[in-house]
């Protein structure tokens, strides 16, 4: 799609209007408007004829003004249909979406039992909680009897925050508040607590849990990590995460353009803030590629510290030696 002066003006006006109407921070919305109008006045967009390029440039401008990586303009070659909620979709649309999630196993990439009864759960995405619940319950049942659990979120870019809430519910023995969520619309705050009942077997609130992170860990994956870290329920190992705490939704702007705009923000009952723009800082900072090895070493060191059986201690030390030999030797992460 090619843009001309009129269509560029129409898109910029639509972006400014939606940001002012919906963005969680009204004062920052005004900053966005000032920035875009300034760039318009100096002719910054005049030579951009590509719709895709203009959407990318506008996204860069929005994020530069707000430091919010969620806020972005998206272009679609196909006309964007009128917005529907999941429950308003036709049976055919709902079935197609469910088939897609099933083909990705609802974001669960791997379940494994590592040496010395360490559970390993690799989650690439948080699918919708309602559809993910059965598969997540099966995964948690498989790791329920392990002595420690590693949850790998290094490649998890987010998804449904409710699915993260569901996963967190397996990690506590009693109802626990994870965070608050503030909505600009209605100026209201909603408390988010773990579920009283979960499908499958609960992991419990006492066994060690380690969460692996990278710079690509983002949004709902950060939400889960931040809550468990601040509640002292998990040890975070890896890299500082991407820094996206303001959750939102897609808003249709024009037939071929939409805007993902944050409608609210997470607030930790512990820190009274969130990880927006700064990321979740790991408890043990290592390159993402070394995070799984490092987590296992930490778990095995704790087991060895209380092991009185000489034969078992020998096996533990042998495994620790094997893991130490696998170090990448990197000084900087890349």
């Amino acid at each position: 799609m090619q843009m001309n002066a009129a269509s560029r003006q129409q898109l910029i006006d639509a972006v400014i209007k939606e940001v002012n109407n919906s963005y969680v921070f009204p004062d920052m919305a005004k900053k966005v408007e000032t920035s875009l109008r300034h760039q318009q006045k100096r002719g910054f967009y005049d030579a951009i004829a590509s719709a895709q390029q203009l959407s990318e440039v506008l996204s860069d401008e929005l994020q530069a003004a707000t430091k919010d990586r969620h806020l972005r303009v998206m272009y679609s070659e196909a006309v964007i249909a009128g917005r529907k909620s999941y429950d308003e979709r036709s049976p055919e649309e709902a079935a197609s979406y469910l088939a897609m999630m099933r083909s990705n196993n609802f974001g669960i990439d791997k379940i494994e039992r590592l040496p010395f009864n360490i559970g390993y759960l690799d989650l690439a995405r948080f699918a919708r909680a309602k559809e993910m619940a059965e598969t997540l319950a099966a995964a948690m049942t498989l790791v329920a009897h392990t002595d420690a659990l590693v949850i790998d979120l290094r490649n998890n870019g987010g998804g449904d925050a409710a699915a993260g809430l569901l996963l967190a519910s397996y990690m506590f023995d009693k109802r626990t508040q994870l965070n608050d969520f503030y909505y600009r619309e209605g100026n209201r705050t909603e408390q988010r607590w773990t579920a009283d009942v979960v499908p499958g077997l609960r992991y419990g609130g006492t066994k060690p849990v380690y969460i692996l992170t990278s710079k690509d860990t983002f949004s709902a994956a950060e939400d889960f990590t931040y809550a468990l870290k601040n509640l002292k329920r998990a040890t975070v190992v890896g890299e500082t995460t991407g820094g996206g705490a303001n959750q939102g939704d897609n808003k249709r702007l024009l037939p071929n353009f939409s805007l993902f705009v944050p409608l609210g923000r997470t607030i930790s009952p512990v820190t009274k803030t969130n990880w927006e723009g700064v990321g979740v800082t790991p408890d043990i900072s290592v390159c993402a590629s070394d995070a799984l090895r490092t987590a296992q070493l930490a778990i095995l060191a704790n087991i060895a510290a209380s092991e009185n059986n000489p034969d078992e201690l020998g096996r533990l030390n042998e495994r620790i030696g094997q893991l130490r030999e696998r170090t990448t030797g990197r000084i900087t992460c890349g």
Side-chain angles (χ1 to χ4, degrees):
M1 180 177 177
Q2 295 296 298
M3 306 294 290
N4 56 31
S7 59
R8 282 193 295 268
Q9 180 70 54
Q10 186 182 24
L11 176 60
I12 292 167
D13 288 346
V15 169
I16 290 172
K17 180 180 178 179
E18 190 60 57
V19 170
N20 277 324
N21 286 342
S22 303
Y23 189 45
V24 60
F25 300 110
D27 55 334
M28 295 300 292
K30 292 301 181 185
K31 186 176 179 181
V32 166
E33 180 175 7
T34 299
S35 175
L36 296 188
R37 292 304 187 202
H38 173 72
Q39 295 290 57
Q40 262 191 304
K41 189 174 181 179
R42 60 187 287 261
F44 183 71
Y45 309 116
D46 291 355
I48 302 176
S50 161
Q52 179 63 44
Q53 183 184 357
L54 183 58
S55 68
E56 292 170 359
V57 169
L58 289 173
S59 295
D60 290 342
E61 291 289 319
L62 294 175
Q63 294 178 18
T66 62
K67 310 301 180 187
D68 190 331
R69 287 178 57 194
H70 274 119
L71 192 59
R72 59 191 182 275
V73 180
M74 291 165 288
Y75 164 70
S76 169
E77 289 188 11
V79 171
I80 300 169
R83 182 66 176 163
K84 296 180 182 179
S85 72
Y86 185 82
D87 294 331
E88 292 174 333
R89 295 180 181 186
S90 69
E92 294 76 17
E93 290 172 324
S96 176
Y97 184 69
L98 183 59
M100 179 186 69
M101 289 195 292
R102 282 175 174 161
S103 69
N104 293 313
N105 203 36
F106 299 95
I108 300 174
D109 269 3
K110 185 183 292 186
I111 309 160
E112 192 174 352
R113 180 174 171 272
L114 302 172
F116 292 93
N117 203 31
I118 298 172
Y120 175 72
L121 179 62
D122 186 358
L123 287 172
R125 180 171 178 79
F126 285 112
R128 278 176 49 93
K130 182 179 179 181
E131 285 79 16
M132 186 184 190
E134 183 178 345
T135 303
L136 182 60
M140 291 308 300
T141 298
L142 285 173
V143 300
H145 302 298
T146 56
D147 295 324
L149 178 61
V150 177
I151 301 174
D152 194 341
L153 301 181
R154 289 176 292 180
N155 297 310
N156 192 313
D160 185 11
L165 179 62
L166 176 59
L167 176 59
S169 299
Y170 285 89
M171 310 300 162
F172 295 90
D173 293 316
K174 61 181 180 180
R175 192 167 182 260
T176 302
Q177 185 183 3
L178 295 180
N179 55 44
D180 293 325
F181 193 80
Y182 169 78
Y183 293 89
R184 174 181 170 179
E185 184 179 8
N187 191 30
R188 60 190 175 90
T189 300
E190 174 185 286
Q191 292 186 340
R192 293 180 174 176
W193 293 72
T194 57
D196 292 323
V197 178
V198 295
L201 297 179
R202 195 182 291 270
Y203 196 72
T206 58
K207 293 186 288 186
V209 174
Y210 286 72
I211 301 173
L212 310 185
T213 60
S214 77
K215 64 182 185 299
D216 296 321
T217 306
F218 195 65
S219 194
E222 295 178 282
D223 191 2
F224 173 83
T225 303
Y226 193 72
L228 266 66
K229 175 187 175 180
N230 288 316
L231 291 168
K232 308 298 183 186
R233 183 59 194 96
T235 300
V236 182
V237 182
E239 300 169 353
T240 299
T241 61
N246 302 328
Q247 299 170 31
D249 201 358
N250 282 311
K251 299 285 188 177
R252 184 179 184 270
L253 298 175
L254 297 170
N256 297 87
F257 293 92
S258 63
L259 176 76
F260 189 92
V261 56
L263 308 175
R265 59 188 175 92
T266 303
I267 306 168
S268 165
V270 178
T271 66
K272 308 304 179 184
T273 185
N274 58 41
W275 63 94
E276 178 63 35
V278 296
V280 183
T281 305
D283 298 299
I284 303 174
S285 183
V286 296
C287 293
S289 57
D290 281 335
L292 177 56
R293 183 186 64 85
T294 302
Q296 290 181 83
L297 282 170
I299 294 167
L300 295 177
N302 288 333
I303 296 173
S306 58
E307 182 56 64
N308 296 318
N309 184 317
D311 292 337
E312 189 67 7
L313 186 59
R315 291 180 61 242
L316 277 164
N317 286 330
E318 181 181 0
R319 175 62 176 167
I320 289 171
Q322 292 171 349
L323 289 169
R324 284 177 175 163
E325 289 174 359
R326 296 179 188 174
T327 179
T328 61
R330 290 183 182 176
I331 298 175
T332 58
C333 302

